[in-house]
Amino acid sequence: MEIYLDNAATSHPKPQAVVDAVMQALTTYNANPGRSGHQRALRGARLLLSARESLARLLNAEDSDRIVFCFNGTDALNTAIKGSLRVGDHVVSTMMEHNSVLRVLKELEKSGLIEVTLLEPDGSGTVPAESFEAALRPNTSLAISTHASNVTGAIQPVAAIGEAMRRHGVRYLIDGAQAVGHIPVDVRALKCSLYAFPGHKGLLGPQGTGGLYVAPGTPLRAFREGGTGSSSESMLQPVDMPEGYESGTVNLPGVAGLEAGASLVQAQMNERMRRERALTQALYEGLSHMDNAVVYSPSEPAARVSVVSFNLDGASSESVSDYLDTQGIAVRGGLHCAPGMHQALGTLRSGAVRVSPSWQNSFEDIEALLSAVKRYG
Ligand SMILES: Cc1ncc(COP(=O)(O)O)c(C=O)c1O
């Protein structure tokens, strides 16, 4: 029997309600919403609206129009970053970011279009708001941080950063890939301008889904142009929210599954968070009692999401994850698309073994993982 502990990559198993919603979208709702005016297309359009409303409720967005559907977390981040920056802008971000932020910034910097400052995490594995403030320049237009590290799980002080950036009039983008669905997210309380999230991780939706929250008063240029089903007489891209940022046929089956997943998550948020914290704590304690293990995640359960990373003395992370795979346990080894974070942890060569349980795992799954790690070591 497979034990799946790689939910930070994508959640598994998808709930039956998600599978059913995808099937229903492919049958009952199958049409191109926003394009044709027939009953079937209108049913599809209503489904899209309902999903937008569910996501807006989950994130406490002002209105469903503030939610743009994207194809994954990376697409949402590209939409936010490329739609925000102008030539000569300065961006403050962190070494902790995923390549879906770092590579976008570094490519723009390499082309001579923008300047970038990447801040190092402190001893607690976070970057405080004061470091962001100290790095601001007259031309800083955007600050970006992850909500929680995908390597260590450490939750970042996003509310304090949001508060500080609003005071300085700097746009703030949060990468919610490892937070949304695992801990409550209130975009208004966080005072962020943009919040990017995948649909296939904590929200339990299918791959190929994601979204971007855009706060009122945050103008954005479209990162991709094309048909939107609105203002069709114009050869120029409309800037209407949200259609102006969703060019091309939307992934209706994916969005239907995403709505089903997000609704489950919202109904069970507190229970789910408590369970993930308890599972992750059992995992953290078990690993930190092993003499030959180095654990990189914060010790305090409330300081991390459901991610614990470690290495064993003298073993490469891939050899440990490959061994666990032979034991029927799915985790991720190697580098986690976050080279700056591995540099900060000193694991750029070894990578790390990342274990990411979900509320659907059992304590027996964690015991089985710990026993297998002991057998390896
Ligand atoms: C922190 C973080 N940001 C962004 C992404 C990219 O998300 P996606 O794989 O949905 O493009 C990931 C995915 O692992 C992530 O962990």
Side-chain angles (χ1 to χ4, degrees):
M1 233 237 335
E2 181 203 43
I3 297 177
Y4 186 80
L5 292 167
D6 193 18
N7 290 278
T10 198
S11 50
H12 176 81
K14 304 298 181 191
Q16 190 58 43
V18 172
V19 177
D20 292 345
V22 173
M23 285 299 286
Q24 208 187 13
L26 286 168
T27 51
T28 313
Y29 297 98
N30 188 33
N32 206 330
R35 305 301 197 268
S36 316
H38 52 73
Q39 290 304 313
R40 182 168 273 282
L42 293 180
R43 276 207 297 276
R46 278 196 290 275
L47 178 64
L48 268 193
L49 177 62
S50 155
R52 251 189 250 287
E53 286 171 347
S54 296
L55 289 170
R57 266 194 307 279
L58 181 78
L59 300 177
N60 193 30
E62 292 80 356
D63 199 275
S64 61
D65 279 3
R66 306 321 305 171
I67 306 292
V68 173
F69 290 120
C70 300
F71 300 124
N72 45 45
T74 303
D75 186 48
L77 288 161
N78 270 271
T79 303
I81 298 170
K82 292 178 178 161
S84 293
L85 293 175
R86 294 189 178 279
V87 175
D89 281 349
H90 172 238
V91 182
V92 184
S93 186
T94 83
M95 290 288 275
M96 234 180 278
E97 303 312 311
H98 190 271
N99 273 337
S100 51
V101 169
L102 289 181
R103 287 183 176 170
V104 181
L105 294 180
K106 283 291 173 187
E107 285 295 330
L108 291 170
E109 184 187 46
K110 194 175 99 188
S111 308
L113 299 174
I114 62 164
E115 297 166 11
V116 179
T117 301
L118 296 178
L119 305 167
E120 295 271 352
D122 63 16
S124 70
T126 62
V127 178
E130 295 74 30
S131 304
F132 275 84
E133 285 189 274
L136 295 180
R137 299 180 190 165
N139 59 337
T140 308
S141 69
L142 181 64
I144 310 174
S145 82
T146 191
H147 198 151
S149 162
N150 68 317
V151 181
T152 65
I155 298 173
Q156 303 301 305
V158 283
I161 301 170
E163 170 72 40
M165 293 305 103
R166 183 161 294 180
R167 230 182 316 112
H168 289 279
V170 171
R171 183 175 284 210
Y172 179 37
L173 162 64
I174 301 176
D175 172 2
Q178 298 298 341
V180 78
H182 295 284
I183 54 175
V185 174
D186 179 336
V187 287
R188 282 190 266 178
L190 295 179
K191 298 193 166 72
C192 57
S193 322
L194 299 150
Y195 193 99
F197 57 95
H200 62 97
K201 297 185 195 262
L203 294 182
L204 310 172
Q207 284 96 341
T209 60
L212 177 67
Y213 159 76
V214 182
T218 308
L220 207 60
R221 285 188 318 283
F223 146 65
R224 104 168 42 78
E225 291 84 18
T228 60
S230 59
S231 309
S232 294
E233 72 290 351
S234 173
M235 289 194 203
L236 292 175
Q237 184 73 12
V239 289
D240 306 330
M241 277 293 291
E243 296 85 0
Y245 307 92
E246 292 176 350
S247 291
T249 298
V250 83
N251 175 7
L252 192 63
V255 167
L258 171 56
E259 177 178 23
S263 302
L264 281 178
V265 165
Q266 182 153 33
Q268 301 161 345
M269 176 55 83
N270 290 335
E271 236 175 286
R272 187 178 139 91
M273 187 171 72
R274 260 199 307 277
R275 184 170 172 83
E276 287 188 351
R277 276 195 183 152
L279 289 165
T280 311
Q281 186 59 10
L283 173 62
Y284 180 89
E285 280 176 9
L287 289 169
S288 45
H289 283 112
M290 292 181 196
D291 291 340
N292 60 340
V294 188
V295 184
Y296 303 107
S297 302
S299 56
E300 177 52 42
R304 57 171 190 248
V305 290
S306 199
V307 169
V308 175
S309 289
F310 71 98
N311 272 321
L312 296 180
D313 289 345
S316 82
S317 61
E318 277 105 341
S319 63
V320 176
S321 59
D322 288 350
Y323 172 73
L324 292 173
D325 193 32
T326 66
Q327 305 300 297
I329 302 175
V331 299
R332 181 167 166 188
L335 301 174
H336 303 278
C337 301
M341 190 60 190
H342 284 287
Q343 194 177 313
L345 292 172
T347 56
L348 206 44
R349 285 170 68 91
S350 62
V353 185
R354 183 179 72 183
V355 188
S356 49
S358 89
W359 62 307
Q360 302 185 90
N361 286 112
S362 64
F363 286 92
E364 288 75 37
D365 292 343
I366 303 297
E367 273 311 311
L369 177 278
L370 293 170
S371 303
V373 172
K374 279 185 201 144
R375 284 199 298 279
Y376 179 91

